[in-house]
């Protein structure tokens, strides 16, 4: 029987085989936890990013989008707290020299116990992490005799904090060069542009600034494919609100974001909220939207009420005033006046969203045919509106004028949606290939097309086929994409 782990491994192979995702620098044996998106992966990723961007900016008249640089002034990361606090507790095994994130090491151990015992270990760990008790964490590991997966010994170093930011040098002369960081989140590019956007866009509170882009973290335990990468992409939105109203907006965005995930085809029962036990230094409330990945429930998106922490810090470190003048009237009929806005953040990883969509889409179907023989297919049931290719146009034969009709259809459709043309191989084989890459609609042009101008359209999910007028193909696909 196929286990969840097997299915996950199959999904990873499938992503490679069909041009979705490749290991980075594979030619040189790869670079750990870094991945390249292939021809179909890049398109699916773009479609997801476009959906998010549209839902944030086009669908909210009070949210605008920006594109800040990856490199930022080094003081940004001092002000944000990343230089001092962006770290995870790590422990090394002295025999294998393997480094572990302490929470992952203990979680891995807890999974080997029965539920009650496992929960007790996790509860003890949460308490120690919340108290920043590093010796306590080491004692917990020793008490349970948790072993290194490689050396199988319990010979551990002390627990230490390890900063996750990558650094590099800016400037051409080594002595004068400054250390700068590759951003570990996109949010700070929004905070430092708060006044620029508010003033030039004449934005009135409440309003949001959205951004998508690369972020970099030197993750120690980098596994589970694109779930945890060292270079990844975030889609973040900072919503600036009046102090005191943050919980109202926090709840609003919590619901909005869950609804958005459902709108791109993620079933409600595969999503859940997880409130944070330990709040980050900047937050007064935080939760994760978790998805049930093939390896368990894990964070897909974070919703954080970040208070006025970031803007206040940037005002302090830059020695500039970062405030908003609110001339709306309060209950006493007076303007609210000057204040530092509070912020509610929504932050989703594009790669994790990609993995979510792929884990839901990957289906291994088997059935018995009428003649009693077994048949089956691997199909990616990606919702049509985000599928990389929407329509495959397939002339039955490479002759008799069929390719010409097919190419004419292709030319008519390709400015409206992504099409794929294929004239090689038997039609059944071509359908299977389109199933495997997740193309929702296939159209076959055959000899009857020449007689009555009709074609066969085949639907990926139920393999239904019907005859429709050639002239209706574009309209039908567009209707399906917008429904
Ligand atoms: P985790 O606890 O899994 O390390 P996090 O709480 O540090 O995640 P955030 O800082 O809240 O994550 O980042 C927001 C989002 O960015 C996450 O919900 C996730 O989707 C994505 N993300 C964070 N780190 C990574 C990573 N290393 N690889 C891929 N996506 C990531």
């Amino acid at each position: 029987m196929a286990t969840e782990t097997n299915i996950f491994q199959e999904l990873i192979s499938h992503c490679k085989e069909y041009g979705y995702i490749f290991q980075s620098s594979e030619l040189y044996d790869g670079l750990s936890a870094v991945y390249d998106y292939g021809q179909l992966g890049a398109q699916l990723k773009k479609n997801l990013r476009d959906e998010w961007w549209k839902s944030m900016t086009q669908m909210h008249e009070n949210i605008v989008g920006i594109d800040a640089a990856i490199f930022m002034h080094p003081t940004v990361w001092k002000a944000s707290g990343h230089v001092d606090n962006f770290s995870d507790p790590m422990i090394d095994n002295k025999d294998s020299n393997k480094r572990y994130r302490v929470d992952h090491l203990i979680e891995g151990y807890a999974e080997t116990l029965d539920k009650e015992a496992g929960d007790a270990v996790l509860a003890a760990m949460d308490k120690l992490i919340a108290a920043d008790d590093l010796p306590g964490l080491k004692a917990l590991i020793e008490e349970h005799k948790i072993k290194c997966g490689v050396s199988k010994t319990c010979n551990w170093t002390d627990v230490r904090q390890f900063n996750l930011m990558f650094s590099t040098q800016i400037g051409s002369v080594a002595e004068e060069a400054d250390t700068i960081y590759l951003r570990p989140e996109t949010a700070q590019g929004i905070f430092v542009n708060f006044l620029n956007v508010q003033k030039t866009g004449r934005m009135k509170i409440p309003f949001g600034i959205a951004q998508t882009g690369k972020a970099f973290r030197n993750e120690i335990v980098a596994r589970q494919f694109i779930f945890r990468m060292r270079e990844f992409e975030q889609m973040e939105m900072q919503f600036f609100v009046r102090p005191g109203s943050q919980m109202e907006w926090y709840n609003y965005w919590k619901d909005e974001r869950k609804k958005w995930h459902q709108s791109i085809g993620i079933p409600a029962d595969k999503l859940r909220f997880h409130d944070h036990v330990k709040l980050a230094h900047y937050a007064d409330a935080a939760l994760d939207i978790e998805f049930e990945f093939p390896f368990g429930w894990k964070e897909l998106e974070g919703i954080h009420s970040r208070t006025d922490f970031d803007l206040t810090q940037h005002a302090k470190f830059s020695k500039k005033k970062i405030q908003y003048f609110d001339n709306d009237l309060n209950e006493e009929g007076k303007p609210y006046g000057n204040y530092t806005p509070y912020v509610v953040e929504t932050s989703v990883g594009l790669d994790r969203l990609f993995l979510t969509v792929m884990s839901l889409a990957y289906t291994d179907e088997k059935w018995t045919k009428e003649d009693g023989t077994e048949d089956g297919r691997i199909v990616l049931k990606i919702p049509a509106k985000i599928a990389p290719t929407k329509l495959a146009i397939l002339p039955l034969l490479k002759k008799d004028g069929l390719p010409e009709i097919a190419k004419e259809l292709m030319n008519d459709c390709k400015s409206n949606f992504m099409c794929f043309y294929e004239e090689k191989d038997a039609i059944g084989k071509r359908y299977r290939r389109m199933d495997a890459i997740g193309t929702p609609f296939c159209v076959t042009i055959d000899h009857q097309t020449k007689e009555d101008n009709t074609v066969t359209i085949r639907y990926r999910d139920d393999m239904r086929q019907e005859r429709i007028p050639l002239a209706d193909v574009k309209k039908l696909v567009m209707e399906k994409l917008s429904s």
Side-chain angles (χ1 to χ4, degrees), residues 217 219 227-229 232 234 299-300 304 347 349 352:
R217 296 183 188 178
E219 301 278 5
F227 180 81
R228 188 172 301 286
M229 301 155 87
F232 58 100
Q234 288 186 315
E299 172 176 348
L300 168 63
H304 310 127
S347 173
R352 279 193 198 176

Side-chain angles (χ1 to χ4, degrees), residues 212-261:
T212 71
K214 287 281 176 108
F216 305 82
R217 296 183 188 178
N218 198 0
E219 301 278 5
I220 291 306
V221 183
R223 52 188 158 125
Q224 291 162 335
F225 195 34
I226 55 169
F227 180 81
R228 188 172 301 286
M229 301 155 87
R230 296 201 164 107
E231 173 180 342
F232 58 100
E233 193 165 336
Q234 288 186 315
M235 305 194 289
E236 298 199 297
M237 194 277 299
Q238 312 294 323
F239 201 70
F240 298 92
V241 305
R242 231 172 241 158
S245 68
Q246 69 270 25
M247 285 320 290
E248 184 192 319
W249 287 109
Y250 176 74
N251 288 321
Y252 170 85
W253 283 109
K254 167 180 167 181
D255 292 340
E256 273 298 290
R257 294 302 303 148
K258 185 161 179 242
K259 276 192 233 149
W260 182 80
H261 288 293

Side-chain angles (χ1 to χ4, degrees), residues 33 82 86 88 101 103-104 164 184-185 215-217 219 221 225-236 276 282 287-289 298-304 345-353:
H82 283 82
F86 194 58
D88 280 330
R101 236 176 90 172
D103 55 339
H104 290 168
L164 299 181
E185 61 174 29
F216 305 82
R217 296 183 188 178
E219 301 278 5
V221 183
F225 195 34
I226 55 169
F227 180 81
R228 188 172 301 286
M229 301 155 87
R230 296 201 164 107
E231 173 180 342
F232 58 100
E233 193 165 336
Q234 288 186 315
M235 305 194 289
E236 298 199 297
H276 284 201
Y282 52 74
L287 62 86
D288 298 335
I289 300 179
K298 300 271 179 217
E299 172 176 348
L300 168 63
E301 170 155 6
I303 313 284
H304 310 127
E345 162 184 82
T346 72
S347 173
V348 60
L350 178 50
D351 313 87
R352 279 193 198 176
L353 187 62

